[in-house]
Amino acid sequence: MGSSNLFVISRVLVLVLLLAGSVSASLAGTLVSVSQGRVVVADQSSKTQRSAAQQALKQVMIKISGQREILDNAAVKSAIREPQQYMRSYRFEYQNNTLYYIAEFDFQALSSMIQHESLPLWGQRRPDTVLWLAMEDENGDKSIIDDGSVSPVATQLRALSEERAVPLVFPLMDLTDSTAISIYDVWGRFAQNLTTASQRYSPDYIVGARLYRVKETEMPDLSIEQQTQQQAATLRYESNRPVLSSQGVDGLSEFLVDDLLKEARAPAFSQDEFEAMSNQKRGDYGLDWVVISQGNIEFGSLYGDDELSLAALFFEEYADFLGQHFAIIPTEGARNTIDIQISVANLDSLAKYVHVEKYLSDMSMVDDATLVKQEGSVASFSLSLLADTQDFYNLVALDERLKPVVDRAGQPIEGFNFYWNE
């Protein structure tokens, strides 16, 4: 899990209520390929191929499970020693004067093996993340990494995004972004401003981070001039933001809502906390982060010896975090399944019935899906789940096609009732 100089220094969970500028309450997600491994190689010799095949399968196992720890499992280690038994095809490919070994593995066979070992299993629908990353150069100048950046850190994070099958985008930082957010918002990790600026990207997760060289006696926050500009920007935002009445937050007073939002905009650490952390062993660089999703906000920090290894560690930890949230731990076959019946509305054609049945059958946690009743445009399916119903809802939430039926208040109605969106 990284070298001894790279470690998590703090992890704080804050539950807040975000205003009308928040991301959608339902996740969307992107369908990704998890069965392909891609490895840089020096040549096409047999020895190189064997080693590359093992590395490619390691990548795929981590993609499918969402966890790096899966490589410690004895059955997984055995599979990696003989990757050919799971391989469907391989090829070599040149890109930008670099030779890659690309292998495609049997997803169903690997899923069955993971299921047999009761290891985490993560489907191909993955949450989308927008990353607002502010960096400081040797002169102390700060900038936001944008979509067109070819810096080593940006290049590495894109590669890790593909390697871990975790969709990631950087902001465009065009006129729209520049108007909505400033470097001071990103550097300060102000949750409300990050959330508002991220609306156009419709992400499932918003990450704000700052990467800087650690200075022994200096807190990595804004200068007096920058703080003044940030306060002015916040005042401009406050004067224009919508007001949320107490009725919209389950009886909480407006004063409490304001207190929560102030906490969300506050820096992750106080001066006292920073001084306490400064006495602990750490690397030459720091990365402070905030992760925002559906009203949940997490702050934390990592330290390392250089920018590239620190950025890589952060993304690996973040990918593991998503895997822990969305992966399921199935039991083998139908030995311990949960049987439920769901209804799906808006199936007004034979093609839609076929699509829904295939959609349900292809879900990583569904052991069996059977059509049991059909009345007009509503069909009932019997499902055998390899995990609990909350895992089922989490997986469904990553795809706009199967949407829970809600009441006038926007809450899911009782039972497993869905609407097919095609």
Side-chain angles (χ1 to χ4, degrees):
M1 301 288 289
S3 69
S4 59
N5 290 328
L6 298 171
F7 57 92
V8 178
I9 199 74
S10 176
R11 189 181 182 92
V12 182
L13 176 63
V14 184
L15 297 179
V16 299
L17 298 164
L18 297 179
L19 296 178
S22 64
V23 294
S24 170
S26 62
L27 301 179
T30 295
L31 193 63
V32 300
S33 171
V34 298
S35 57
Q36 186 181 96
R38 181 185 178 91
V39 180
V40 175
V41 294
D43 54 58
Q44 301 184 31
S45 66
S46 298
K47 182 179 179 180
T48 296
Q49 287 187 42
R50 177 170 178 78
S51 175
Q54 292 175 339
Q55 292 301 315
L57 184 52
K58 284 183 180 180
Q59 284 185 17
V60 170
M61 294 303 301
I62 294 173
K63 283 183 183 181
I64 292 177
S65 70
Q67 301 294 306
R68 287 170 289 172
E69 286 84 354
I70 194 174
L71 301 182
D72 296 330
N73 178 269
V76 173
K77 288 181 178 179
S78 177
I80 290 172
R81 283 195 293 269
E82 299 295 335
Q84 287 74 18
Q85 61 183 318
Y86 294 100
M87 189 180 298
R88 303 177 96 182
S89 64
Y90 73 89
R91 69 181 188 275
F92 289 93
E93 187 175 291
Y94 270 105
Q95 284 189 2
N96 299 322
N97 297 320
T98 302
L99 180 62
Y100 291 91
Y101 173 90
I102 302 173
E104 186 78 26
F105 295 93
D106 189 329
F107 175 77
Q108 294 301 328
L110 291 174
S111 297
S112 296
M113 187 262 286
I114 287 176
Q115 182 178 327
H116 182 271
E117 294 294 314
S118 295
L119 294 169
L121 180 62
W122 194 5
Q124 299 181 69
R125 181 70 59 175
R126 303 289 171 94
D128 295 314
T129 297
V130 58
L131 173 59
W132 302 87
L133 175 60
M135 295 185 63
E136 184 178 59
D137 64 20
E138 295 178 354
N139 299 319
D141 295 327
K142 300 174 179 65
S143 61
I144 299 172
I145 300 296
D146 61 38
D147 182 64
S149 174
V150 292
S151 70
V153 168
T155 300
Q156 176 178 249
L157 288 173
R158 291 189 187 99
L160 286 171
S161 169
E162 181 177 349
E163 183 175 319
R164 291 297 302 265
V166 173
L168 175 74
V169 296
F170 292 101
L172 297 172
M173 290 314 300
D174 55 8
L175 181 60
T176 300
D177 283 341
S178 298
T179 302
I181 200 167
S182 71
I183 180 64
Y184 313 122
D185 294 318
V186 179
W187 193 260
R189 292 157 298 146
F190 295 113
Q192 182 63 46
N193 294 5
L194 287 166
T195 301
T196 301
S198 298
Q199 269 192 294
R200 67 185 298 202
Y201 299 101
S202 300
D204 302 310
Y205 284 82
I206 301 165
V207 177
R210 61 187 182 199
L211 180 56
Y212 56 93
R213 189 173 185 87
V214 174
K215 299 173 184 176
E216 290 301 322
T217 59
E218 186 176 325
M219 190 172 180
D221 273 308
L222 310 175
S223 66
I224 297 300
E225 179 183 359
Q226 291 169 338
Q227 290 181 41
T228 300
Q229 294 183 49
Q230 171 59 46
Q231 290 167 1
T234 300
L235 287 173
R236 289 196 300 272
Y237 174 78
E238 289 294 322
S239 65
N240 293 317
R241 74 175 175 88
V243 176
L244 184 65
S245 69
S246 60
Q247 296 177 349
V249 291
D250 298 328
L252 291 176
S253 70
E254 291 180 6
F255 299 105
L256 179 55
V257 174
D258 286 339
D259 288 341
L260 287 169
L261 289 171
K262 286 176 183 176
E263 184 175 9
R265 286 193 299 272
F269 306 110
S270 67
Q271 181 65 44
D272 289 341
E273 290 172 319
F274 181 78
E275 289 174 355
M277 288 188 297
S278 67
N279 296 324
Q280 303 184 47
K281 180 182 178 182
R282 63 186 184 197
D284 294 329
Y285 287 84
L287 190 151
D288 303 329
W289 51 265
V290 59
V291 176
I292 309 164
S293 178
Q294 299 189 57
N296 296 324
I297 299 183
E298 268 188 90
F299 289 104
S301 291
L302 296 170
Y303 292 95
D305 292 330
D306 60 81
E307 292 178 322
L308 284 177
S309 63
L310 184 53
L313 173 65
F314 168 73
F315 193 82
E316 294 280 16
E317 295 283 352
Y318 176 66
D320 284 350
F321 160 76
L322 292 180
Q324 290 167 5
H325 183 72
F326 289 102
I328 64 168
I329 300 181
T331 54
E332 184 182 5
R335 264 66 64 197
N336 192 24
T337 59
I338 297 174
D339 296 325
I340 64 171
Q341 185 165 307
I342 71 170
S343 68
V344 184
N346 194 37
L347 302 183
D348 53 11
S349 69
L350 178 60
K352 287 185 177 180
Y353 278 103
V354 173
H355 294 165
V356 170
E357 190 162 19
K358 184 178 188 307
Y359 170 85
L360 294 171
S361 299
D362 287 346
M363 293 179 73
S364 58
M365 69 171 57
V366 175
D367 185 61
D368 182 68
T370 305
L371 176 64
V372 295
K373 186 170 63 175
Q374 174 184 341
E375 293 182 359
S377 63
V378 179
S380 296
F381 292 87
S382 176
L383 304 181
S384 292
L385 304 182
L386 300 171
D388 62 34
T389 54
Q390 186 56 54
D391 287 329
F392 176 73
Y393 271 116
N394 288 343
L395 191 57
V396 166
L398 286 175
D399 194 326
E400 290 291 326
R401 288 177 294 177
L402 196 63
K403 306 182 72 170
V405 178
V406 299
D407 58 23
R408 291 183 178 180
Q411 298 300 314
I413 65 175
E414 186 176 353
F416 301 98
N417 302 287
F418 299 90
Y419 179 89
W420 184 248
N421 184 29
E422 180 179 343

